Short mmCIF file of all heavy atoms in Angstrom, two decimals:
data_model
loop_
_atom_site.label_atom_id
_atom_site.label_comp_id
_atom_site.label_asym_id
_atom_site.label_seq_id
_atom_site.Cartn_x
_atom_site.Cartn_y
_atom_site.Cartn_z
N MET C 1 2.66 92.91 116.05
CA MET C 1 4.04 93.09 116.34
C MET C 1 4.88 92.99 115.07
O MET C 1 5.83 93.76 114.88
CB MET C 1 4.54 92.18 117.39
CG MET C 1 5.95 92.38 117.76
SD MET C 1 6.36 91.40 119.23
CE MET C 1 8.11 91.61 119.21
N PHE C 2 4.53 92.08 114.21
CA PHE C 2 5.27 91.83 112.99
C PHE C 2 5.31 93.13 112.14
O PHE C 2 6.35 93.52 111.59
CB PHE C 2 4.69 90.72 112.16
CG PHE C 2 5.35 90.45 110.83
CD1 PHE C 2 6.60 89.92 110.77
CD2 PHE C 2 4.74 90.83 109.66
CE1 PHE C 2 7.25 89.67 109.57
CE2 PHE C 2 5.36 90.56 108.46
CZ PHE C 2 6.57 89.98 108.38
N GLU C 3 4.20 93.82 112.01
CA GLU C 3 4.11 95.04 111.14
C GLU C 3 4.97 96.12 111.75
O GLU C 3 5.45 96.99 110.99
CB GLU C 3 2.64 95.46 111.01
CG GLU C 3 1.80 94.54 110.20
CD GLU C 3 0.38 94.99 110.00
OE1 GLU C 3 0.10 96.11 110.45
OE2 GLU C 3 -0.41 94.21 109.51
N GLU C 4 5.24 96.16 113.06
CA GLU C 4 6.02 97.19 113.65
C GLU C 4 7.52 96.92 113.43
O GLU C 4 8.30 97.87 113.45
CB GLU C 4 5.75 97.26 115.16
CG GLU C 4 4.36 97.70 115.47
CD GLU C 4 4.00 97.64 116.91
OE1 GLU C 4 4.91 97.30 117.75
OE2 GLU C 4 2.85 97.85 117.32
N GLU C 5 7.91 95.72 113.17
CA GLU C 5 9.30 95.33 113.04
C GLU C 5 9.88 95.66 111.67
O GLU C 5 11.07 95.82 111.50
CB GLU C 5 9.57 93.90 113.38
CG GLU C 5 9.20 93.55 114.83
CD GLU C 5 9.34 92.06 115.11
OE1 GLU C 5 9.68 91.25 114.19
OE2 GLU C 5 9.06 91.68 116.25
N ILE C 6 9.02 95.70 110.64
CA ILE C 6 9.53 95.91 109.28
C ILE C 6 8.93 97.19 108.71
O ILE C 6 7.86 97.64 109.20
CB ILE C 6 9.21 94.76 108.36
CG1 ILE C 6 7.70 94.47 108.21
CG2 ILE C 6 9.92 93.45 108.83
CD1 ILE C 6 7.32 93.41 107.25
N GLY C 7 9.55 97.78 107.74
CA GLY C 7 9.09 99.01 107.14
C GLY C 7 7.94 98.86 106.15
O GLY C 7 7.59 97.71 105.75
N PHE C 8 7.38 99.99 105.72
CA PHE C 8 6.25 100.00 104.79
C PHE C 8 6.60 99.33 103.46
O PHE C 8 5.81 98.56 102.92
CB PHE C 8 5.86 101.45 104.55
CG PHE C 8 4.76 101.59 103.54
CD1 PHE C 8 3.41 101.34 103.88
CD2 PHE C 8 5.06 102.03 102.24
CE1 PHE C 8 2.43 101.45 102.99
CE2 PHE C 8 4.03 102.15 101.36
CZ PHE C 8 2.73 101.86 101.70
N GLU C 9 7.80 99.57 102.90
CA GLU C 9 8.18 99.02 101.64
C GLU C 9 8.23 97.50 101.73
O GLU C 9 7.81 96.83 100.81
CB GLU C 9 9.55 99.57 101.21
CG GLU C 9 9.53 101.00 100.83
CD GLU C 9 9.67 101.95 101.99
OE1 GLU C 9 9.92 101.50 103.12
OE2 GLU C 9 9.54 103.19 101.77
N GLU C 10 8.75 96.95 102.78
CA GLU C 10 8.83 95.50 102.91
C GLU C 10 7.46 94.91 103.08
O GLU C 10 7.16 93.83 102.58
CB GLU C 10 9.74 95.14 104.04
CG GLU C 10 10.16 93.66 104.02
CD GLU C 10 11.28 93.33 105.01
OE1 GLU C 10 11.80 94.19 105.63
OE2 GLU C 10 11.53 92.11 105.09
N LEU C 11 6.58 95.61 103.80
CA LEU C 11 5.21 95.10 103.92
C LEU C 11 4.55 95.01 102.56
O LEU C 11 3.83 94.06 102.24
CB LEU C 11 4.40 96.04 104.80
CG LEU C 11 4.57 95.90 106.27
CD1 LEU C 11 3.84 97.02 107.02
CD2 LEU C 11 4.13 94.54 106.75
N GLN C 12 4.80 95.98 101.70
CA GLN C 12 4.22 95.94 100.33
C GLN C 12 4.78 94.78 99.52
O GLN C 12 4.04 94.16 98.76
CB GLN C 12 4.53 97.27 99.56
CG GLN C 12 4.01 98.49 100.27
CD GLN C 12 2.50 98.37 100.55
OE1 GLN C 12 1.74 98.14 99.68
NE2 GLN C 12 2.17 98.53 101.82
N LEU C 13 6.02 94.41 99.71
CA LEU C 13 6.63 93.29 99.00
C LEU C 13 5.99 91.97 99.39
O LEU C 13 5.74 91.12 98.55
CB LEU C 13 8.12 93.25 99.29
CG LEU C 13 8.88 92.09 98.66
CD1 LEU C 13 8.94 92.28 97.15
CD2 LEU C 13 10.32 92.10 99.23
N TYR C 14 5.69 91.75 100.66
CA TYR C 14 5.17 90.48 101.15
C TYR C 14 3.66 90.42 101.28
O TYR C 14 3.12 89.39 101.65
CB TYR C 14 5.79 90.11 102.48
CG TYR C 14 7.31 89.95 102.35
CD1 TYR C 14 8.18 90.77 103.03
CD2 TYR C 14 7.82 88.96 101.54
CE1 TYR C 14 9.56 90.56 102.95
CE2 TYR C 14 9.18 88.75 101.46
CZ TYR C 14 10.05 89.57 102.14
OH TYR C 14 11.41 89.39 102.03
N GLU C 15 2.96 91.50 100.99
CA GLU C 15 1.50 91.49 101.17
C GLU C 15 0.84 90.42 100.26
O GLU C 15 1.18 90.33 99.10
CB GLU C 15 0.95 92.89 100.73
CG GLU C 15 -0.56 92.96 100.87
CD GLU C 15 -1.05 92.82 102.35
OE1 GLU C 15 -0.33 93.18 103.28
OE2 GLU C 15 -2.14 92.27 102.52
N GLY C 16 0.00 89.63 100.86
CA GLY C 16 -0.66 88.61 100.05
C GLY C 16 0.09 87.28 100.01
O GLY C 16 -0.45 86.32 99.52
N GLN C 17 1.31 87.25 100.38
CA GLN C 17 2.10 86.01 100.36
C GLN C 17 1.75 85.16 101.58
O GLN C 17 1.70 85.63 102.65
CB GLN C 17 3.60 86.31 100.35
CG GLN C 17 4.07 87.12 99.16
CD GLN C 17 3.89 86.41 97.89
OE1 GLN C 17 4.14 85.23 97.82
NE2 GLN C 17 3.52 87.14 96.86
N VAL C 18 1.54 83.88 101.33
CA VAL C 18 1.24 82.96 102.44
C VAL C 18 2.54 82.25 102.82
O VAL C 18 3.17 81.59 101.97
CB VAL C 18 0.18 81.96 101.97
CG1 VAL C 18 -0.16 80.97 103.09
CG2 VAL C 18 -1.06 82.68 101.49
N PRO C 19 2.90 82.29 104.15
CA PRO C 19 4.13 81.59 104.55
C PRO C 19 4.03 80.08 104.42
O PRO C 19 2.92 79.52 104.59
CB PRO C 19 4.26 81.97 106.03
CG PRO C 19 3.40 83.15 106.19
CD PRO C 19 2.29 83.05 105.18
N GLU C 20 5.12 79.46 104.08
CA GLU C 20 5.16 77.98 104.09
C GLU C 20 4.93 77.47 105.44
O GLU C 20 5.42 78.01 106.42
CB GLU C 20 6.55 77.60 103.52
CG GLU C 20 6.68 76.12 103.04
CD GLU C 20 7.01 75.28 104.20
OE1 GLU C 20 7.74 75.61 105.11
OE2 GLU C 20 6.53 74.13 104.18
N THR C 21 4.13 76.41 105.59
CA THR C 21 3.63 75.99 106.90
C THR C 21 4.70 75.43 107.87
O THR C 21 4.60 75.68 109.03
CB THR C 21 2.52 74.96 106.73
OG1 THR C 21 2.94 73.89 105.97
CG2 THR C 21 1.29 75.60 106.12
N SER C 22 5.70 74.73 107.37
CA SER C 22 6.59 74.07 108.29
C SER C 22 7.64 75.01 108.88
O SER C 22 8.04 74.87 110.00
CB SER C 22 7.26 72.87 107.67
OG SER C 22 8.03 73.26 106.54
N ILE C 23 8.13 75.92 108.03
CA ILE C 23 9.21 76.82 108.55
C ILE C 23 8.85 78.32 108.42
O ILE C 23 9.60 79.12 108.90
CB ILE C 23 10.57 76.55 107.85
CG1 ILE C 23 10.43 76.79 106.35
CG2 ILE C 23 11.09 75.17 108.13
CD1 ILE C 23 11.74 76.72 105.56
N GLY C 24 7.72 78.63 107.82
CA GLY C 24 7.31 79.99 107.74
C GLY C 24 7.99 80.83 106.66
O GLY C 24 7.97 82.09 106.75
N ALA C 25 8.61 80.25 105.69
CA ALA C 25 9.34 80.95 104.65
C ALA C 25 8.36 81.59 103.67
O ALA C 25 7.36 81.03 103.37
CB ALA C 25 10.29 80.07 103.90
N ILE C 26 8.74 82.77 103.19
CA ILE C 26 7.96 83.46 102.15
C ILE C 26 8.87 83.73 100.97
O ILE C 26 9.97 84.28 101.19
CB ILE C 26 7.38 84.83 102.67
CG1 ILE C 26 6.40 84.61 103.80
CG2 ILE C 26 6.71 85.57 101.53
CD1 ILE C 26 5.87 85.88 104.41
N ALA C 27 8.46 83.32 99.79
CA ALA C 27 9.27 83.54 98.56
C ALA C 27 8.49 84.51 97.72
O ALA C 27 7.54 84.14 97.04
CB ALA C 27 9.50 82.26 97.85
N ALA C 28 8.93 85.75 97.70
CA ALA C 28 8.24 86.77 96.82
C ALA C 28 8.63 86.60 95.43
O ALA C 28 9.80 86.15 95.12
CB ALA C 28 8.66 88.17 97.27
N PRO C 29 7.76 86.75 94.46
CA PRO C 29 8.06 86.56 93.06
C PRO C 29 9.12 87.57 92.56
O PRO C 29 9.10 88.72 93.02
CB PRO C 29 6.75 86.73 92.30
CG PRO C 29 5.94 87.56 93.25
CD PRO C 29 6.40 87.24 94.63
N ILE C 30 9.99 87.14 91.67
CA ILE C 30 11.00 87.97 91.06
C ILE C 30 10.68 88.12 89.60
O ILE C 30 10.51 87.11 88.88
CB ILE C 30 12.40 87.39 91.26
CG1 ILE C 30 12.77 87.29 92.71
CG2 ILE C 30 13.46 88.29 90.54
CD1 ILE C 30 14.06 86.60 92.99
N TYR C 31 10.54 89.33 89.10
CA TYR C 31 10.25 89.51 87.69
C TYR C 31 11.52 90.00 87.01
O TYR C 31 12.05 91.05 87.33
CB TYR C 31 9.16 90.59 87.54
CG TYR C 31 7.89 90.18 88.19
CD1 TYR C 31 7.48 90.62 89.45
CD2 TYR C 31 7.05 89.25 87.61
CE1 TYR C 31 6.33 90.27 90.04
CE2 TYR C 31 5.85 88.81 88.26
CZ TYR C 31 5.50 89.33 89.44
OH TYR C 31 4.35 88.94 90.04
N GLN C 32 11.98 89.22 86.07
CA GLN C 32 13.20 89.57 85.33
C GLN C 32 12.83 89.97 83.91
O GLN C 32 12.10 89.25 83.23
CB GLN C 32 14.20 88.42 85.34
CG GLN C 32 14.66 88.07 86.69
CD GLN C 32 15.66 86.95 86.66
OE1 GLN C 32 15.63 86.13 85.74
NE2 GLN C 32 16.53 86.86 87.65
N THR C 33 13.30 91.12 83.47
CA THR C 33 13.07 91.54 82.09
C THR C 33 14.34 91.92 81.43
O THR C 33 15.37 92.13 82.10
CB THR C 33 12.10 92.73 82.09
OG1 THR C 33 12.73 93.81 82.80
CG2 THR C 33 10.76 92.41 82.70
N ALA C 34 14.28 91.98 80.15
CA ALA C 34 15.50 92.40 79.38
C ALA C 34 15.03 93.19 78.17
O ALA C 34 13.94 93.00 77.65
CB ALA C 34 16.25 91.18 78.93
N TYR C 35 15.84 94.15 77.75
CA TYR C 35 15.56 94.93 76.55
C TYR C 35 16.61 94.61 75.52
O TYR C 35 17.77 94.34 75.80
CB TYR C 35 15.60 96.42 76.82
CG TYR C 35 14.58 96.88 77.81
CD1 TYR C 35 14.79 96.97 79.12
CD2 TYR C 35 13.33 97.25 77.27
CE1 TYR C 35 13.78 97.38 80.02
CE2 TYR C 35 12.34 97.70 78.12
CZ TYR C 35 12.55 97.74 79.44
OH TYR C 35 11.56 98.17 80.30
N TYR C 36 16.15 94.56 74.27
CA TYR C 36 17.07 94.25 73.12
C TYR C 36 16.95 95.32 72.10
O TYR C 36 15.91 95.89 71.87
CB TYR C 36 16.73 92.87 72.53
CG TYR C 36 16.84 91.74 73.48
CD1 TYR C 36 15.74 91.30 74.23
CD2 TYR C 36 18.04 91.11 73.64
CE1 TYR C 36 15.85 90.23 75.12
CE2 TYR C 36 18.19 90.02 74.52
CZ TYR C 36 17.09 89.59 75.27
OH TYR C 36 17.20 88.55 76.11
N VAL C 37 18.05 95.57 71.42
CA VAL C 37 18.10 96.53 70.30
C VAL C 37 18.41 95.66 69.07
O VAL C 37 19.42 94.98 69.00
CB VAL C 37 19.16 97.60 70.49
CG1 VAL C 37 19.20 98.51 69.31
CG2 VAL C 37 18.90 98.43 71.77
N PHE C 38 17.54 95.72 68.07
CA PHE C 38 17.71 94.97 66.87
C PHE C 38 18.09 95.89 65.70
O PHE C 38 17.75 97.02 65.65
CB PHE C 38 16.43 94.22 66.50
CG PHE C 38 15.94 93.26 67.54
CD1 PHE C 38 14.78 93.48 68.26
CD2 PHE C 38 16.71 92.05 67.78
CE1 PHE C 38 14.40 92.57 69.22
CE2 PHE C 38 16.31 91.21 68.75
CZ PHE C 38 15.16 91.42 69.49
N LYS C 39 18.91 95.30 64.78
CA LYS C 39 19.34 96.03 63.63
C LYS C 39 18.18 96.53 62.76
O LYS C 39 18.17 97.63 62.28
CB LYS C 39 20.28 95.17 62.78
CG LYS C 39 21.49 94.70 63.53
CD LYS C 39 22.29 93.71 62.70
CE LYS C 39 23.43 93.11 63.52
NZ LYS C 39 24.11 92.02 62.82
N ASN C 40 17.20 95.69 62.58
CA ASN C 40 15.99 96.01 61.82
C ASN C 40 14.91 95.01 62.10
O ASN C 40 15.15 94.02 62.87
CB ASN C 40 16.31 96.07 60.31
CG ASN C 40 16.91 94.81 59.79
OD1 ASN C 40 16.44 93.73 60.11
ND2 ASN C 40 17.99 94.90 58.99
N SER C 41 13.73 95.24 61.61
CA SER C 41 12.56 94.34 61.91
C SER C 41 12.79 92.90 61.31
O SER C 41 12.31 91.96 61.90
CB SER C 41 11.28 94.93 61.39
OG SER C 41 11.30 95.12 59.99
N ASP C 42 13.51 92.80 60.19
CA ASP C 42 13.74 91.50 59.61
C ASP C 42 14.59 90.62 60.52
O ASP C 42 14.38 89.41 60.74
CB ASP C 42 14.37 91.59 58.26
CG ASP C 42 13.43 92.11 57.17
OD1 ASP C 42 12.20 91.98 57.35
OD2 ASP C 42 13.93 92.74 56.18
N TYR C 43 15.62 91.26 61.11
CA TYR C 43 16.51 90.56 62.00
C TYR C 43 15.75 90.07 63.23
O TYR C 43 15.90 88.93 63.70
CB TYR C 43 17.68 91.51 62.44
CG TYR C 43 18.64 90.84 63.37
CD1 TYR C 43 19.58 89.93 63.01
CD2 TYR C 43 18.56 91.12 64.74
CE1 TYR C 43 20.48 89.36 63.86
CE2 TYR C 43 19.38 90.58 65.67
CZ TYR C 43 20.33 89.71 65.22
OH TYR C 43 21.19 89.09 66.12
N SER C 44 14.90 90.95 63.84
CA SER C 44 14.18 90.58 64.99
C SER C 44 13.21 89.44 64.70
O SER C 44 12.99 88.53 65.53
CB SER C 44 13.54 91.77 65.64
OG SER C 44 12.53 92.30 64.76
N SER C 45 12.55 89.48 63.56
CA SER C 45 11.63 88.46 63.17
C SER C 45 12.32 87.11 62.99
O SER C 45 11.81 86.08 63.47
CB SER C 45 10.91 88.84 61.88
OG SER C 45 10.05 87.87 61.47
N THR C 46 13.45 87.13 62.35
CA THR C 46 14.21 85.88 62.14
C THR C 46 14.66 85.33 63.48
O THR C 46 14.61 84.12 63.72
CB THR C 46 15.41 86.18 61.24
OG1 THR C 46 14.98 86.71 59.99
CG2 THR C 46 16.22 84.93 60.97
N LEU C 47 15.17 86.16 64.33
CA LEU C 47 15.63 85.72 65.68
C LEU C 47 14.49 85.11 66.48
O LEU C 47 14.60 84.10 67.08
CB LEU C 47 16.30 86.87 66.43
CG LEU C 47 16.83 86.54 67.81
CD1 LEU C 47 17.86 85.45 67.68
CD2 LEU C 47 17.34 87.77 68.48
N ARG C 48 13.32 85.76 66.48
CA ARG C 48 12.17 85.28 67.19
C ARG C 48 11.75 83.91 66.72
O ARG C 48 11.47 83.00 67.46
CB ARG C 48 11.02 86.27 67.12
CG ARG C 48 9.78 85.86 67.90
CD ARG C 48 8.69 86.90 67.88
NE ARG C 48 8.38 87.36 66.54
CZ ARG C 48 8.49 88.63 66.14
NH1 ARG C 48 8.94 89.53 66.97
NH2 ARG C 48 8.21 88.97 64.93
N GLU C 49 11.73 83.75 65.39
CA GLU C 49 11.35 82.45 64.79
C GLU C 49 12.36 81.38 65.18
O GLU C 49 11.97 80.25 65.52
CB GLU C 49 11.25 82.53 63.27
CG GLU C 49 10.05 83.35 62.83
CD GLU C 49 10.02 83.64 61.35
OE1 GLU C 49 10.93 83.05 60.61
OE2 GLU C 49 9.26 84.43 60.89
N TYR C 50 13.65 81.70 65.12
CA TYR C 50 14.66 80.74 65.50
C TYR C 50 14.54 80.29 67.02
O TYR C 50 14.56 79.17 67.33
CB TYR C 50 16.08 81.39 65.24
CG TYR C 50 17.20 80.53 65.76
CD1 TYR C 50 17.67 79.49 65.00
CD2 TYR C 50 17.79 80.74 66.99
CE1 TYR C 50 18.71 78.65 65.49
CE2 TYR C 50 18.77 79.95 67.46
CZ TYR C 50 19.26 78.89 66.72
OH TYR C 50 20.28 78.07 67.17
N LEU C 51 14.37 81.30 67.85
CA LEU C 51 14.26 81.00 69.30
C LEU C 51 12.99 80.18 69.56
O LEU C 51 13.05 79.27 70.38
CB LEU C 51 14.26 82.29 70.05
CG LEU C 51 15.62 83.03 70.09
CD1 LEU C 51 15.40 84.38 70.77
CD2 LEU C 51 16.68 82.23 70.69
N PHE C 52 11.92 80.48 68.91
CA PHE C 52 10.69 79.75 69.15
C PHE C 52 10.85 78.29 68.68
O PHE C 52 10.41 77.36 69.41
CB PHE C 52 9.54 80.42 68.40
CG PHE C 52 8.22 79.72 68.58
CD1 PHE C 52 7.52 79.81 69.79
CD2 PHE C 52 7.67 78.91 67.57
CE1 PHE C 52 6.35 79.12 70.01
CE2 PHE C 52 6.46 78.25 67.76
CZ PHE C 52 5.80 78.38 69.01
N LYS C 53 11.50 78.10 67.56
CA LYS C 53 11.65 76.75 67.01
C LYS C 53 12.58 75.91 67.89
O LYS C 53 12.34 74.74 68.09
CB LYS C 53 12.25 76.82 65.61
CG LYS C 53 12.36 75.44 64.97
CD LYS C 53 13.04 75.33 63.65
CE LYS C 53 13.20 76.49 62.79
NZ LYS C 53 13.96 76.29 61.53
N HIS C 54 13.59 76.51 68.47
CA HIS C 54 14.56 75.77 69.27
C HIS C 54 14.27 75.76 70.76
O HIS C 54 15.05 75.20 71.57
CB HIS C 54 15.99 76.33 69.00
CG HIS C 54 16.42 76.01 67.62
ND1 HIS C 54 16.17 76.82 66.55
CD2 HIS C 54 17.15 74.95 67.12
CE1 HIS C 54 16.68 76.34 65.45
NE2 HIS C 54 17.27 75.15 65.77
N SER C 55 13.20 76.32 71.19
CA SER C 55 12.87 76.31 72.62
C SER C 55 12.03 75.14 73.05
O SER C 55 11.76 74.99 74.20
CB SER C 55 12.15 77.64 72.99
OG SER C 55 10.89 77.66 72.35
N LYS C 56 11.63 74.29 72.08
CA LYS C 56 10.74 73.18 72.42
C LYS C 56 11.51 71.92 72.73
O LYS C 56 12.65 71.75 72.39
CB LYS C 56 9.83 72.90 71.23
CG LYS C 56 8.87 74.07 71.07
CD LYS C 56 7.98 73.81 69.84
CE LYS C 56 7.12 75.02 69.59
NZ LYS C 56 6.24 74.87 68.58
#
């Protein structure tokens, strides 16, 4: 009955997810990405080094 109540796209989103046992909640993963445009390769290298050093 569950498969009849929701559409194909939603089934694909939740496929393989195991519901939480006490309330049956399913939390599908969210993938967030971002694109950046750098002035040149030196700038991107310097920024990457700075962020790596300060992320610890």
Side-chain angles (χ1 to χ4, degrees):
M1 182 170 171
F2 177 72
E3 291 181 7
E4 295 172 6
E5 295 176 3
I6 61 175
F8 177 77
E9 292 82 7
E10 193 168 356
L11 281 174
Q12 300 307 306
L13 178 67
Y14 296 118
E15 182 63 32
Q17 300 294 322
V18 179
E20 195 273 325
T21 55
S22 64
I23 59 173
I26 297 176
I30 299 174
Y31 300 101
Q32 296 179 334
T33 60
Y35 293 94
Y36 298 93
V37 177
F38 298 113
K39 300 173 188 175
N40 55 45
S41 60
D42 291 334
Y43 178 79
S44 65
S45 177
T46 303
L47 181 60
R48 183 176 49 241
E49 290 172 9
Y50 174 81
L51 293 173
F52 181 74
K53 185 187 339 179
H54 290 87
S55 66
K56 296 178 181 180

